Structure formats: C-alpha cells, structure tokens
Amino acid sequence: MITFEKVEKVYESRGNKVAALNGIDLEIKEGEIFGVIGFSGAGKSSLIRCVNLLERPTSGRVIVDGCDMTSLSVKEVREVKKNIGMVFQHFNLLNSKTVFDNVAMPLILAKLPKAKIKERVLQLLDFVGLADKADNYPDQLSGGQKQRIGIARALATQPKILLCDEATSALDPQTTSSILQLLKKINKEYNITILIITHEMSVIREICDRVAVIEDGRIIEEDTVFNVFSAP
Ligand code: ADP
Ligand code: ADP
C-alpha cells in the first residue's frame, strides 16, 4: 500500500545540509498496522511526511496505492491525498471552529453537499464516541477527546491510509491506550492501513503488526513486533 524506494531527504537551511533520510526502503502492506520507532532526530517525521508529500523526497520514490507520488502532477497528488488521512501529536484542530466544523472541514473542501456533510460528520462523531460534543469548541475538550476529533477529521474523506504522527505522545498512558484501541477498531472495521511513527515502545507493542527501527535516517531493523521484541 505504501512503498519507499531508496528515499533520501536532505534539508538545506542557511547553507547547511542535513541528511534526514539516507536511503529508506520499506513496504507497508494493505491492512496492516505498521510502526516506525526511533529516537528524536532519527528521521521519523520526515519519513511519514514523505508519504503525503508534506515533505518532498530529495531522491527516490514513494508509491502510495500504486501511484508514484513523486512523479504526479499537483492535481493528481490532490486526488491521491484524499486516500490519506493524518493524525498529529498536537491535534492541529482549529480553535475558533466547533467540533462539528473541524470534522466537516475536509468535506467542505471536497465540495460535498451540505446534507451529506451533516450526515457524515454526525456519523463520524458517533463512531469516535463524541456525538454529544458537536457544538463544543476544542478548548472545552480533554486531550483524549481532542485526538478523537482529530481522528474523526482524518477519516472524513474515507481514506485507505491513516498516518499517525506521534498521535499519542501528548497523552497520559490511560488515554493513550483508549486512542490506540480506537485505531485498532478503525483498522479492523474499515481495513484501513495504518502507519504510526513514535518514540514509545509501548505504542508499538500494543497495536502494531510489524515494526521498523530507524536510526540516523536508516532502517536498521524490520520485522514482526513479536520477533523484534523477543529477540535475545
Ligand atoms: P524525528 O521525527 O525522528 O525526530 P525528523 O525527521 O524530525 O526526526 O528530523 C531528522 C533530522 O532532520 C534532524 O536532524 C532534524 O534536525 C532535521 N530536520 C528536520 N526538519 C528539518 C528542516 N525543516 N530543516 C532542517 N533540518 C530539519
Ligand atoms: P479522555 O479520556 O477522553 O481524555 P478525560 O477523562 O480526560 O477524557 O475527561 C473526562 C471529562 O472531563 C470529559 O467528559 C471532559 O468533558 C471533561 N474535561 C476534561 N478536560 C477538560 C477541559 N480542559 N475543559 C473542559 N472539560 C474537560
């Protein structure tokens, strides 16, 4: 579902070059929950952002659902991106908009009819267990609730892929667990492929099928979670 081929990412700032990804080869299969774990600065964020072109790889290819993202036109990329939802560490909700409007945003951008938007948003809020919060504002919600709204928004366009960028790192352990169970439910019920980046081993252990360990922009290990964590 997502293939990285020799992906390199070099940032240039003030004349300095920083190589964040040094030849990533990775294959994430349809329907799996795949985790990438590594320390801060290892390249996790750069890696996940190359999937939906929030960052463009310096070289190499990223193939999403059969489409080579790096060779598509702007218009084609926009189409493929409807198949990719993203969840962020700090939720990235619009604080001046209600919960309803936050979740509706991708559907408004996709120009869905109003009645359809309402139906879909209410269904999504029900799915994440926050149907009663539609008229609230994000700052009236707990962290866990904000992330549930972030997840509902990410699912609005019915994507095939969900990208989770440290989605539970700002949450306490109990809330983390409830969000991870929600992600598992999304994976099982809708067969959505999930790519998670995290620095937390517990996240990988709790829901991932396979894991890759990233260090200095290179994958140093890749296997089932069972094999990686039970190795002597
Ligand atoms: P992680 O998510 O694992 O913390 P990142 O992908 O954010 O890793 O960063 C990998 C490396 O790339 C780090 O050395 C970081 O400082 C550098 N980096 C990330 N983004 C930029 C940027 N926009 N400009 C310059 N360097 C960056
Ligand atoms: P979650 O498990 O979803 O994170 P919490 O257990 O943290 O939820 O919150 C329990 C209740 O407290 C929620 O119903 C929520 O409405 C309320 N609550 C939590 N944080 C806030 C806040 N910052 N402002 C208003 N209400 C809050």
Side-chain angles (χ1 to χ4, degrees):
M1 185 56 91
I2 308 170
T3 306
F4 287 80
E5 283 179 12
K6 300 189 175 63
V7 172
E8 303 193 348
K9 176 68 190 178
V10 179
Y11 294 102
E12 272 201 73
S13 62
R14 300 195 194 95
N16 285 328
K17 286 190 178 185
V18 180
L21 300 176
N22 294 301
I24 300 286
D25 290 301
L26 211 52
E27 180 143 8
I28 296 149
K29 295 176 196 139
E30 182 174 0
E32 75 178 339
I33 304 184
F34 193 100
V36 175
I37 189 166
F39 294 119
S40 176
K44 303 182 295 294
S45 239
S46 302
L47 183 146
I48 204 165
R49 291 163 70 90
C50 280
V51 176
N52 58 1
L53 295 197
L54 285 181
E55 293 292 349
R56 191 166 269 278
T58 309
S59 64
R61 304 203 303 164
V62 179
I63 298 157
V64 177
D65 196 20
C67 301
D68 178 358
M69 296 297 278
T70 44
S71 73
L72 296 179
S73 68
V74 173
K75 200 175 153 196
E76 289 166 324
V77 166
R78 207 179 295 139
E79 276 309 304
V80 178
K81 280 175 78 166
K82 286 186 189 151
N83 276 328
I84 310 172
M86 191 162 188
V87 181
F88 303 89
Q89 178 173 7
H90 299 293
F91 325 121
N92 295 14
L93 300 175
L94 298 171
N95 287 314
S96 61
K97 302 255 180 219
T98 63
V99 161
F100 183 99
D101 288 343
N102 268 279
V103 178
M105 196 59 68
L107 302 173
I108 294 168
L109 293 174
K111 298 191 167 68
L112 240 71
K114 251 191 170 152
K116 265 262 170 277
I117 292 179
K118 184 166 182 192
E119 182 191 330
R120 178 98 186 109
V121 170
L122 295 179
Q123 184 191 2
L124 285 159
L125 290 177
D126 189 49
F127 178 77
V128 300
L130 293 176
D132 58 332
K133 301 290 183 195
D135 297 328
N136 285 80
Y137 286 83
D139 64 6
Q140 297 174 301
L141 304 178
S142 69
Q145 291 173 329
K146 283 183 202 168
Q147 195 55 295
R148 284 172 188 270
I149 300 307
I151 290 170
R153 179 186 55 189
L155 295 178
T157 56
Q158 301 185 291
K160 292 183 182 173
I161 295 169
L162 188 61
L163 305 176
C164 301
D165 184 350
E166 299 278 5
T168 57
S169 298
L171 306 174
D172 62 64
Q174 207 179 332
T175 310
T176 291
S177 206
S178 79
I179 293 296
L180 293 178
Q181 289 316 308
L182 176 62
L183 293 175
K184 206 166 191 169
K185 179 171 141 187
I186 289 163
N187 169 258
K188 291 279 165 296
E189 285 187 21
Y190 300 123
N191 194 37
I192 293 179
T193 306
I194 300 183
L195 173 59
I196 292 177
I197 61 164
T198 181
H199 63 277
E200 294 175 303
M201 203 97 98
S202 55
V203 169
I204 303 284
R205 277 183 196 274
E206 192 162 338
I207 63 163
C208 293
D209 302 312
R210 289 197 302 141
V211 59
V213 183
I214 186 170
E215 200 176 285
D216 296 328
R218 291 184 180 84
I219 303 296
I220 58 164
E221 199 167 341
E222 185 198 336
D223 208 334
T224 61
V225 171
F226 179 84
N227 283 345
V228 168
F229 289 131
S230 63

